Amino acid sequence: MFYHCTMACLGGREMDALKVLDKMDQMEIYYEPIYSADEHEIIAYEIIGQLKDGDENYNIETFTYDEQVPIEIRIEIENLLVKMAIERVKENLQAVQLYVPCNPNLLMHDIGEGKLALLQQLIEEEQLNQITLVLKEHLYKGDIKSLHHVVRYFKTYGITFALSDVDEASHLENILLLEPSVIKLNINQLNYNKWGASNPVFSTLRSLAFKIGASLLVEEIETSYQLHQGWKHGVRYYKGEYLEKPKQNFIERNTLKERFRNDCEQFITTERKVLEQKYDRLKLLEREILQAVEDVKPSSKSLPNLLQLAEKMQDFAFRIYICDEKGFQTTPNIIQRDDIWYEDEQAVGKNWSWRPYFLLNLIKLRNDLKGELSRSYIDIETNELTRTFSLALKKNEYLFVDISYSYLYEHNIVQ
């Protein structure tokens, strides 16, 4: 199929660089539609260059990253691809972005001057804001600060940037420095069965994108399930076979609007049911904890009292303890192992105010007069996902109940 062969590497054998240059007039240009989850329409196209030689299909962008080919030839090939692709559609750029492949090593060969001059030659300056240069940051070999300066200069012309193939091999500090408008994730680089809070790679990239104001784009969407997972976890842009294959021309923007909208409505219906079930389960958990606290009235002054409370939380808690208003732990950790509760005296006197938002949460607990369940996080001691329920007690004391992963997983309230 076209899609797979063009997204693969250079086929089963190498193609001579001069042969590629000779055949560039035979290159086929394709535009892969990129869809938006908020508009349900095509908002951009990504350029793909394909060159055929017999039964082999060659991805021109992949060729430009082959360091065995002299850099001058690779620059010429990339520029020819860009020139041919833009000239064909420049009259239709008013309403969409054009994602343009840009090897950062080639870009920095002349500090960006050649690429900027080429773009200015091809389109009017007021349309430069329709261009998004796609960089593979993890394949850049030079000084990241120099690249940052060039990226910033291009941005003054309205040109935006996307970082491609971002995954666990990417450098987060470089992403922060470059501040792309779009972060592209390949669906095959993530185990989409573990998307969300249980996938630290995805959750970190999502948080990073939010911090710098970037949108997430997922490539190679092949199933409705993958689209659903992306939508569920905050991905804004999508492309792949499930939506539309690359075309040699632009197509109607709203070509999938009705189907995309119907998919999203199904996602909403499904997600609402899941969220309502989670909400009901969380409220039940909260009631069980509050009732146990009301029955026992725990205090740091009475260890038997705290052990009694732990017994009432046998089914869902694996650790409980009490702190004062400054974050100092005033009781041992009461820990459950193999259905038996133990006392861990080592935690007495430790201070937890260094944790982000800890003191603010204590203030909220005291003033709101209700308990609060944290987001999921990895417990330092067990190395498992957990959530902590915290509650203000009398005499400026605060109870913390760590919920076991097995309970969270069983009741689908991990996140």
Side-chain angles (χ1 to χ4, degrees):
M1 296 173 64
F2 166 83
Y3 184 81
H4 291 290
C5 66
T6 57
M7 297 306 292
C9 292
L10 294 181
R13 56 187 176 83
E14 294 183 0
M15 188 173 183
D16 180 80
L18 294 178
K19 193 174 182 180
V20 171
L21 276 176
D22 289 341
K23 285 178 169 286
M24 285 299 284
D25 61 333
Q26 302 173 29
M27 178 175 58
E28 294 179 339
I29 304 294
Y30 291 85
Y31 305 90
E32 185 171 15
I34 297 172
Y35 288 84
S36 165
D38 45 15
E39 298 179 55
H40 303 152
E41 293 182 344
I42 297 171
I43 52 86
Y45 290 88
E46 182 153 12
I47 293 171
I48 298 172
Q50 175 179 281
L51 193 59
K52 292 183 178 180
D53 183 42
D55 295 331
E56 298 287 343
N57 294 299
Y58 292 89
N59 184 326
I60 296 299
E61 181 188 8
T62 308
F63 190 88
T64 66
Y65 281 90
D66 184 356
E67 295 187 351
Q68 295 182 358
V69 178
I71 192 168
E72 291 80 7
I73 293 179
R74 288 188 285 141
I75 290 173
E76 185 173 355
I77 289 172
E78 183 178 87
N79 286 345
L80 279 171
L81 168 62
V82 172
K83 183 174 186 293
M84 292 173 66
I86 291 180
E87 283 182 338
R88 184 180 296 177
V89 297
K90 66 180 180 181
E91 301 301 325
N92 301 310
L93 285 180
Q94 294 83 357
V96 294
Q97 288 289 116
L98 192 62
Y99 281 48
V100 178
C102 180
N103 182 334
N105 299 298
L106 307 185
L107 177 71
M108 294 301 293
H109 186 64
D110 61 357
I111 321 178
E113 292 181 1
K115 184 68 70 180
L116 182 59
L118 175 65
L119 293 174
Q120 290 175 319
Q121 171 192 334
L122 292 171
I123 58 178
E124 299 296 329
E125 188 162 320
E126 60 268 21
Q127 282 192 301
L128 287 175
N129 61 1
Q130 305 298 124
I131 300 297
T132 296
L133 296 181
V134 181
L135 310 178
K136 294 185 178 181
E137 168 274 328
H138 62 290
L139 296 181
Y140 178 58
K141 303 294 180 65
D143 176 41
I144 192 64
K145 292 183 180 178
S146 298
L147 178 60
H148 171 235
H149 291 316
V150 170
V151 166
R152 275 189 14 180
Y153 182 63
F154 272 60
K155 287 180 179 179
T156 64
Y157 287 89
I159 297 169
T160 55
F161 287 82
L163 295 187
S164 182
D165 296 338
V166 176
D167 63 4
E168 64 271 11
S170 302
H171 303 91
L172 298 184
E173 66 276 13
N174 292 351
I175 299 175
L176 279 169
L177 186 64
L178 296 175
E179 292 186 319
S181 298
V182 175
I183 293 176
K184 295 174 63 184
L185 309 171
N186 189 314
I187 196 75
N188 296 320
Q189 294 169 339
L190 295 172
N191 180 350
Y192 58 85
N193 289 315
K194 296 182 178 178
W195 278 31
S198 59
N199 186 325
V201 174
F202 181 81
S203 57
T204 298
L205 291 173
R206 183 176 60 180
S207 297
L208 180 62
F210 180 79
K211 180 180 180 65
I212 63 176
S215 297
L216 294 177
L217 184 158
V218 173
E219 305 183 274
E220 301 196 26
I221 294 289
E222 296 179 349
T223 66
S224 174
Y225 177 78
Q226 292 174 334
L227 182 65
H228 185 183
Q229 290 301 305
W231 172 88
K232 177 179 177 180
H233 294 294
V235 175
R236 186 179 186 185
Y237 301 134
Y238 305 84
K239 67 188 184 80
E241 256 188 357
Y242 177 74
L243 297 168
E244 192 70 70
K245 293 180 181 180
K247 304 290 185 182
Q248 290 191 299
N249 294 292
F250 287 2
I251 59 178
E252 289 293 328
R253 289 192 66 190
N254 61 358
T255 182
L256 285 185
K257 193 176 184 70
E258 184 175 353
R259 195 190 92 183
F260 206 147
R261 181 184 178 89
N262 290 338
D263 280 349
C264 284
E265 287 182 351
Q266 291 180 17
F267 300 161
I268 292 167
T269 300
T270 301
E271 198 61 24
R272 281 180 64 91
K273 290 179 180 177
V274 171
L275 291 174
E276 286 171 355
Q277 290 172 355
K278 286 184 178 182
Y279 180 81
D280 291 342
R281 172 53 62 176
L282 289 173
K283 296 305 291 183
L284 176 61
L285 175 63
E286 179 181 354
R287 287 196 298 270
E288 290 181 6
I289 294 175
L290 293 177
Q291 186 60 56
V293 170
E294 177 64 25
D295 293 343
V296 176
K297 297 180 174 52
S299 165
S300 62
K301 303 298 182 182
S302 173
L303 190 56
N305 182 273
L306 198 58
L307 285 166
Q308 183 184 356
L309 179 67
E311 293 290 345
K312 286 182 172 290
M313 299 183 181
Q314 183 85 16
D315 293 339
F316 52 81
F318 73 92
R319 179 172 55 215
I320 65 173
Y321 57 95
I322 293 176
C323 291
D324 66 17
E325 76 278 5
K326 295 180 180 179
F328 286 97
Q329 189 162 331
T330 55
T331 69
N333 282 334
I334 309 300
I335 302 174
Q336 181 182 181
R337 295 194 189 98
D338 299 324
D339 297 327
I340 299 175
W341 290 96
Y342 296 89
E343 303 168 27
D344 179 10
E345 297 282 351
Q346 296 182 5
V348 176
K350 288 187 177 181
N351 185 268
W352 305 112
S353 62
W354 57 269
R355 289 176 171 171
Y357 311 112
F358 185 89
L359 293 178
L360 177 60
N361 286 340
L362 295 192
I363 294 172
K364 288 172 61 179
L365 291 172
R366 177 58 59 193
N367 287 280
D368 293 347
L369 298 177
K370 63 180 181 179
E372 184 169 311
L373 186 67
S374 74
R375 293 184 176 183
S376 299
Y377 65 95
I378 301 293
D379 183 71
I380 295 174
E381 294 183 9
T382 66
N383 202 35
E384 288 189 345
L385 278 168
T386 185
R387 300 179 72 173
T388 298
F389 186 87
S390 46
L391 177 69
L393 304 174
K394 294 180 179 179
K395 298 181 180 178
N396 291 323
E397 291 189 330
Y398 298 85
L399 173 70
F400 295 88
V401 180
D402 293 333
I403 311 301
S404 69
Y405 175 75
S406 59
Y407 180 90
L408 296 173
Y409 181 80
E410 179 184 354
H411 297 288
N412 194 27
I413 52 174
V414 175
Q415 299 179 45

